[in-house]
Amino acid sequence: MNIRNNPILRQKLAAEYALGTLRGGARRRFEGWLHQDADLRNTVAEWQQRLAPMAEFAGAVTPPKRVWTAIERRLDLNKPSARWQFWKNDNLAFWRSLGMVSTALTALLLVVVMRGPGTAPAESNYVATLTDDKTNTVMLVTADPRHHDMEIRLASNVAVQPGHSLHLWAVPKQGHPRSLGLIKAGRTVLPLTAQAIGADVAVLAVSLEPPGGSPDPNGPTGPVIYKGAWVQM
Amino acid sequence: MSTDVHSLDPQQLKIWLQAAGKRDAAAFRRLYDASSAKLFGFALRILHKRELAEEVLQESFVAIWNNAANYQSHLAAPMTWMATIVRNKAFDHLRRSNTAVEIDADQFDGEVMNALQDPQRTPIEALQLSGDAKALAWCMSALEGAHRQVVALAYYHDLSHSEVASQMKLPLGTVKTWIRRSLEKLRTCLARGEQA
């Protein structure tokens, strides 16, 4: 059925969709049309806008304090953001849209290419491709759990400025970043600690530090210049 | 709460919501303070049980924080967007827990109900409603009582046409017609209000 040229039907279905009375097959069909029809999505949004104020007819009831306390705890809103908590200032949607999948695929291809044929990747490998602020890929990190090491390859056009060092961090979803070690130009091999590979690690990041690395063991003191999702293959 | 009406100003809510999208926890707190009583009242009216409503309110605000960056102000007013989240979470909860909610015919707050039936007696202006809700209240008060109830039943209790019919002990065709006509009347009435 084509509803594009039937404005009356479009209004009726959009209204019933927003109200909730459109059910079953009719609802699923309608949702299919919504995907390809921006104008129909607008019509639904208009109906939601018309009907949603009904929510206020229920009357206001002040919720108990514990509701906010629970929200605050769940979202960890109390802690002030430190400099290394760069993702808190970034749009979260950015991290989602970063596309774990495409990053992981790129990384996997690189792993296969670099290892050459015949060497099957070890089980539960972790990889990360780190990008700079212009989303150029500058670094590839692969973890090899069998040999307890991780290999870091810096793109050949990336130079480490004299008088500085590049410090690699594992950034967990909660708590402080953990130092993984310093990175040299070209190829670096670092020990793979249980910390680094922990399931709570979401992101790897590199900060620009004085020679010898960050003086603060709990996080970068310099700017974070590269970052990328840490993905289990 | 004398600040209530003022703080439900959509422009102000929008500023807080967009700031929350940029991870501004203080703005998020103000958004909560300004809107949580309305949204809790709404959740409570759908779910009837306080602890359930508290849980749904909590989940809703977690979702509001997590999705604030995707809020599109040209598609929905802030209260509309947030109320839609609360409504979906509340219905999800009911479906998951398979709880049957007692549906009362007396849908709304007594005061609002009076105003909808007879705006002369309880002026809609006196209620602490946002501008959008006032406009809708005016237009709903112009519907026939039973028609208004059918629309509200569907909205508040996630009922299909046939469920509304059995609830109201009306023929299915009648319910369908009433809902279609009521929605059409509301659209015309609200459009008139916008032009005025």
Side-chain angles (χ1 to χ4, degrees):
Chain A
M1 188 171 60
N2 187 355
I3 62 160
R4 272 189 198 272
N5 300 316
N6 191 339
I8 294 170
L9 188 59
R10 287 168 76 87
Q11 280 294 338
K12 175 180 179 286
L13 293 176
E16 291 184 356
Y17 181 78
L19 185 65
T21 48
L22 195 66
R23 293 301 171 93
R27 188 177 186 88
R28 282 192 293 278
R29 244 189 336 272
F30 186 79
E31 282 173 342
W33 293 327
L34 275 184
H35 273 290
Q36 326 145 1
D37 192 338
D39 183 61
L40 194 60
R41 287 199 293 275
N42 282 334
T43 309
V44 168
E46 282 164 14
W47 271 108
Q48 276 164 343
Q49 184 61 48
R50 288 185 191 109
L51 297 176
M54 241 192 281
E56 287 184 42
F57 297 173
V61 182
T62 305
K65 283 207 173 62
R66 60 176 171 267
V67 176
W68 174 255
T69 313
I71 294 166
E72 210 172 30
R73 198 173 45 231
R74 263 178 78 175
L75 295 175
D76 206 10
L77 296 178
N78 262 334
K79 270 197 272 170
S81 296
R83 187 168 194 180
W84 48 265
Q85 288 176 303
F86 50 85
W87 66 91
K88 292 209 168 171
N89 302 319
D90 281 349
N91 189 334
L92 262 189
F94 166 77
W95 284 103
R96 279 195 292 269
S97 70
L98 184 63
M100 296 300 195
V101 177
S102 64
T103 312
L105 280 179
T106 316
L108 180 64
L109 280 174
L110 284 168
V111 171
V112 171
V113 169
M114 280 168 43
R115 289 187 178 210
T119 49
E123 61 217 84
S124 17
N125 266 342
Y126 282 81
V127 293
T129 46
L130 276 66
T131 57
D132 63 14
D133 58 353
K134 295 182 189 70
T135 68
N136 298 315
T137 301
V138 289
M139 189 186 288
L140 173 68
V141 182
T142 54
D144 182 351
R146 278 181 313 183
H147 297 102
H148 303 288
D149 61 23
M150 53 201 296
E151 184 182 13
I152 297 108
R153 287 191 175 222
L154 210 54
S156 55
N157 57 347
V158 177
V160 183
Q161 297 165 38
H164 288 92
S165 67
L166 297 181
H167 199 151
L168 181 64
W169 303 89
V171 183
K173 288 174 193 124
Q174 303 264 320
H176 296 295
R178 302 163 197 151
S179 169
L180 298 176
L182 299 183
I183 296 161
K184 301 176 300 207
R187 178 173 175 269
T188 309
V189 176
L190 293 171
L192 180 64
T193 58
Q195 287 195 325
I197 207 167
D200 65 329
V201 172
V203 172
L204 296 191
V206 169
S207 65
L208 193 63
E209 301 290 349
S214 170
D216 178 358
N218 288 325
T221 55
V224 170
I225 50 174
Y226 313 135
K227 56 199 174 189
W230 184 228
V231 183
Q232 184 170 13
M233 303 304 296
Chain B
M1 280 202 272
S2 59
T3 56
D4 216 12
V5 176
H6 177 69
S7 57
L8 275 170
D9 168 32
Q11 275 309 319
Q12 180 59 71
L13 292 181
K14 191 173 107 184
I15 290 165
W16 286 331
L17 186 53
Q18 286 172 337
K22 297 186 177 120
R23 314 289 85 180
D24 181 339
F28 182 58
R29 175 67 205 251
R30 290 203 190 92
L31 181 70
Y32 178 88
D33 286 343
S35 62
S36 59
K38 295 261 181 203
L39 295 173
F40 187 55
F42 182 41
L44 205 52
R45 190 62 55 140
I46 295 175
L47 297 159
H48 291 279
K49 295 201 178 84
R50 272 193 90 90
E51 49 179 312
L52 260 188
E54 284 179 28
E55 211 175 312
V56 162
L57 188 68
Q58 184 192 322
E59 273 178 25
S60 299
F61 270 94
V62 168
I64 288 167
W65 171 261
N66 287 334
N67 293 294
N70 303 326
Y71 166 70
Q72 291 176 294
S73 59
H74 65 280
L75 284 181
M79 273 310 272
T80 302
W81 189 74
M82 294 192 288
T84 307
I85 289 177
V86 171
R87 184 170 176 247
N88 289 340
K89 293 270 172 206
F91 292 157
D92 279 353
H93 242 267
L94 289 177
R95 269 178 231 130
R96 257 201 325 261
S97 60
N98 220 354
T99 330
V101 166
E102 358 146 10
I103 294 169
D104 47 359
D106 174 27
Q107 279 305 297
F108 302 128
D109 196 72
E111 240 186 319
V112 180
M113 204 61 195
N114 287 340
L116 291 183
Q117 270 160 4
D118 184 2
Q120 304 297 325
R121 212 162 38 138
T122 312
I124 287 169
E125 296 299 333
L127 304 170
Q128 293 203 329
L129 298 179
S130 68
D132 285 343
K134 253 180 224 163
L136 183 62
W138 276 117
C139 291
M140 284 189 76
S141 73
L143 298 177
E144 266 177 56
H147 293 196
R148 183 167 60 233
Q149 207 175 348
V150 159
V151 171
L153 260 184
Y155 187 79
Y156 266 79
H157 295 294
D158 194 28
L159 298 186
S160 65
H161 285 131
S162 50
E163 286 164 334
V164 173
S166 74
Q167 193 68 38
M168 299 279 292
K169 301 188 174 59
L170 288 165
L172 179 59
T174 307
V175 167
K176 283 187 175 173
T177 309
W178 284 6
I179 286 183
R180 182 167 48 79
R181 282 197 195 141
S182 302
L183 290 171
E184 199 39 54
K185 277 185 187 164
L186 287 178
R187 182 164 78 104
T188 316
C189 171
L190 288 167
R192 238 191 341 256
E194 272 165 32
Q195 281 159 12

